[in-house]
Amino acid sequence: MDMWLQVLKRLGQPTLNFAMVGRWAGHCSRGTFRHVSIAKAPPIHHELLLGWAIHYATGIAFAALPIAFTSPAWLLAPTPAPALLTGLGTVLIPFMLMQPAMGLGVASAKTPTPTANRIRSIVNHSVFGVGLYISALLNSSIAH
């Protein structure tokens, strides 16, 4: 997903600012879970680093989902559906939890370009699912 985000950035497409994820998490740790606008909330010390750490920790946790929904044997003989469904399913977290809590509305409804943001999120999470599948294929080829 990170390689995909770099491609988008080089193409001039907007990507997620992980500092805002860190800012949100920092405020959550202080008891503030919802914001009118996370961009207008006071900055948190090391918010960018915190945002990236959360991004990776979440990705690692989500990467276990295809195995949890199937079995560890999936890593030896992966099929695309569990990985792709995981990728698509994970978009519900930002749509239903993070974006509303950051003041962006459910599924970016309160942003200037909600449809474009929704499509971007769905594509990004689909790319994550493709990455899960490719990683499982690589793992299976090493294991055999």
Side-chain angles (χ1 to χ4, degrees):
M1 186 173 185
D2 291 339
M3 288 187 288
W4 172 250
L5 293 176
Q6 288 303 313
V7 168
L8 291 178
K9 193 178 284 188
R10 287 180 187 228
L11 293 173
Q13 295 297 313
T15 60
L16 178 61
N17 179 352
F18 290 105
M20 295 300 104
V21 174
R23 184 176 296 181
W24 177 65
H27 283 282
C28 285
S29 72
R30 297 174 182 173
T32 302
F33 300 97
R34 294 187 61 97
H35 299 268
V36 173
S37 170
I38 193 65
K40 294 179 182 176
I44 299 294
H45 193 61
H46 298 299
E47 62 187 25
L48 181 58
L49 179 63
L50 178 59
W52 276 102
I54 291 166
H55 169 68
Y56 278 103
T58 304
I60 291 166
F62 285 161
L65 291 177
I67 302 161
F69 291 138
T70 58
S71 76
W74 179 79
L75 288 172
L76 299 175
T79 56
L84 298 175
L85 290 172
T86 296
L88 282 172
T90 60
V91 81
L92 293 174
I93 301 298
F95 277 2
M96 305 305 288
L97 174 70
M98 295 177 72
Q99 291 172 0
M102 292 181 177
L104 304 173
V106 172
S108 295
K110 294 182 179 178
T111 65
T113 57
T115 301
N117 292 335
R118 290 172 188 144
I119 291 169
R120 195 174 302 112
S121 290
I122 291 167
V123 170
N124 290 346
H125 283 256
S126 296
V127 168
F128 174 67
V130 170
L132 290 175
Y133 179 59
I134 291 169
S135 296
L137 285 175
L138 291 172
N139 179 73
S140 70
S141 70
I142 292 168
H144 290 111

